[in-house]
Every structure is written in C-alpha cells, then in structure tokens.
C-alpha cells in the first residue's frame, strides 16, 4: 500500500522540505523553548521576550489542535464547545487554571487529574417529575433577570434542595466544582425554556482531551498563555 507521498526527481519531496524548515526553526528557537520549559507561567508573562514568543507559538498550537472544536477565533459553538473569549470559566480563568484544564482535560477517563463534575439527569434518572423540572427550569432562567412564567416559588424550593449544593444558594456557581454561574447571560447549551428543561432533564457532560501526553511542556505553557491572552482570562 501507499506509505508516503510520491517522490520527485532525485528523491525530492515537499514533505522533506517542510521537515527541514521545522528543524531549522526549532534550532533557532531552542534557547527560548528551553527558557519557557524552565520558567513558571507567571515568569513567562513577566518577561516581554518570552511572553511574545509564547503567545505567538501558542496561537499556532491552538490553530493546529484546538480550533477544530473552539473555532479559529476561539468563539466556540453554541450547544457544544465553550467560547474562550468571555470571562465565564467553569474551573477558573487564571493562567494556572487554564494550564491545568488543557493538560488534564475535562472528563477524560484516561487521566486521573482530569477536571471532573457531573450534573444529575433529574428527568432521565427520575429524581424529579416533569412538573418539578419545568418549575425549576423557570426559576433558573429567572436568576439572570429574565421575566419568565411558571411556579417560581416551587422552582426556588426545588433549586435549594437539589441544585444549590453545587451552584450555590444564589446560583452563582462554584469553580472548585465546575458548576456554572446561572445568574449571567452566558449559556453554553442555550437559554430557551426547552433547552434549559432538557439540560435539567438529561444533564450535560462535554469531554475535552487531556493534552499532557500530546504536547510538550513548553507547548502546554504556550497555548495556556495564548488562551489566557484572548481577553477572557482572569
């Protein structure tokens, strides 16, 4: 079978030319890569030369490895992948938090240090009946200041009993638990009544790979710094 690209005269291949260019680039920047590896994340940020190098390299790493889900502009996709441009971070938006998330992923079963949280499927698991789910969904929608119809008193009671342990009594979430803030206007899976009811009923459990086995130490730091620089980092 075919195992490589077709070679031209004298064994020439464009693949070989690209590999040579990459090797030259790596050699020219070896001292910077070594400094990135040896520096803390904050140390890189505090060093203008390293910050410029890390941010530029991180952008390239992001395009090659992360843009397929989060988008070339990191805006994410409603209903699937979060935007990295806002300040809504399930597990924190500091550069250290972002580095941890990139390194170990989210609900990535192959990594013991992965970010892990699981919302109950209140409908599928028959924890709440349909009327209670409608009521608590309406209450959740009201937390962001929206005018909604429904039994908000009942929904509030159910929320305090079933949801506040993770999302907080005020609904502002808990980054230690990966529980989102329900009082803002950022809704990954949609904010219509039908979408919120579905979330409460069936839960959501997105997965992100752990990149610690796929990227080098320097690359992990670079892409974390790049994501942090996009404007939403804390």
């Amino acid at each position: 079978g075919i195992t490589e690209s077709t070679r031209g005269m004298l064994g020439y291949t464009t693949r070989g030319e690209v590999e040579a260019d990459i090797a030259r680039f790596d050699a020219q920047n070896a001292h910077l890569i070594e400094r990135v590896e040896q520096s803390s994340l904050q140390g890189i940020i505090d060093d203008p030369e390293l910050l410029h190098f890390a941010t530029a390299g991180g952008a390239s790493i992001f395009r090659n490895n992360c843009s397929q889900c989060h988008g070339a502009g990191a805006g994410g996709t409603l209903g699937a992948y979060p935007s990295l441009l806002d300040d809504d971070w399930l597990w924190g938006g500091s550069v250290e938090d972002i580095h941890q998330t990139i390194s170990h992923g989210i609900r990535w079963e192959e990594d013991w240090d992965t970010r892990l949280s699981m919302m109950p499927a209140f409908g599928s698991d028959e924890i709440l009946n349909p009327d209670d789910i409608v009521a608590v969904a309406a209450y959740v929608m009201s937390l962001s200041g929206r005018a909604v119809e429904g039994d908000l008193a009942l929904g509030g009671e159910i929320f305090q009993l079933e949801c506040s342990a993770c999302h907080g009594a005020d609904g502002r979430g808990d980054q230690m638990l990966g529980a989102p803030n329900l009082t803002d206007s950022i809704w990954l899976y949609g904010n219509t009544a039908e979408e919120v009811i579905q979330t409460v009923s069936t839960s959501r459990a997105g997965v992100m790979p752990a990149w610690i086995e796929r990227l080098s130490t320097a690359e992990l730091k670079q892409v974390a710094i790049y994501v942090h620089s996009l404007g939403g980092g804390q």
Side-chain angles (χ1 to χ4, degrees):
I2 298 175
T3 58
E4 61 178 33
S5 59
T6 302
R7 293 181 178 272
M9 293 182 64
L10 303 178
Y12 171 81
T13 68
T14 55
R15 182 188 297 272
E17 190 171 299
V18 170
E19 289 175 348
D21 287 342
I22 293 173
R24 283 195 295 271
F25 176 84
D26 288 344
Q28 292 172 356
N29 292 283
H31 66 293
L32 290 171
I33 293 172
E34 182 177 3
R35 286 174 60 193
V36 169
E37 289 177 344
Q38 295 176 351
S39 299
S40 67
L41 290 163
Q42 190 59 51
I44 296 170
I45 292 173
D46 291 339
D47 184 315
E49 182 182 26
L50 282 187
L51 177 60
H52 176 76
F53 176 75
T55 304
S60 177
I61 295 164
F62 183 92
R63 287 192 295 269
N64 289 333
N65 297 281
C66 314
S67 63
Q68 293 85 348
C69 292
H70 292 286
T77 302
L78 182 64
Y81 307 108
S83 169
L84 305 177
L85 305 177
D86 56 40
D87 60 358
D88 200 49
W89 297 86
L90 289 182
W91 282 278
S94 71
V95 67
E96 291 82 9
D97 291 331
I98 294 169
H99 181 268
Q100 174 76 10
T101 300
I102 294 171
S103 297
H104 301 287
I106 298 171
R107 303 182 189 91
W108 191 249
E109 294 182 355
E110 300 173 20
D111 193 310
W112 286 96
D113 293 317
T114 193
R115 301 290 198 186
L116 187 61
S117 67
M118 186 61 67
M119 174 177 163
F122 288 99
S124 301
D125 294 341
E126 299 182 348
I127 300 172
L128 298 175
N129 64 48
D131 290 339
D132 288 345
I133 290 174
V134 170
V136 76
Y139 176 77
V140 167
M141 294 169 65
S142 76
L143 291 175
S144 55
R146 299 170 61 189
V148 295
E149 297 181 358
D151 192 340
L152 299 185
L154 174 60
E157 292 178 6
I158 296 170
F159 183 89
Q160 295 303 325
L161 288 172
E162 302 287 353
C163 314
S164 63
C166 293
H167 292 285
D170 57 2
R172 294 186 179 277
D174 187 336
Q175 291 182 343
M176 292 294 293
L177 301 175
N181 181 356
L182 304 176
T183 68
D184 57 29
S185 299
I186 300 172
W187 300 77
L188 175 57
Y189 296 103
N191 64 353
T192 67
E194 293 77 11
E195 289 164 335
V196 177
I197 288 170
Q198 182 180 352
T199 296
V200 176
S201 298
T202 62
S203 182
R204 309 286 189 173
V207 175
M208 173 179 158
W211 291 94
I212 195 167
E213 298 294 336
R214 309 181 187 202
L215 299 177
S216 69
T217 298
E219 288 171 331
L220 288 170
K221 291 181 179 179
Q222 286 175 287
V223 74
I225 287 172
Y226 170 72
V227 170
H228 184 260
S229 76
L230 291 175
Q234 295 170 347

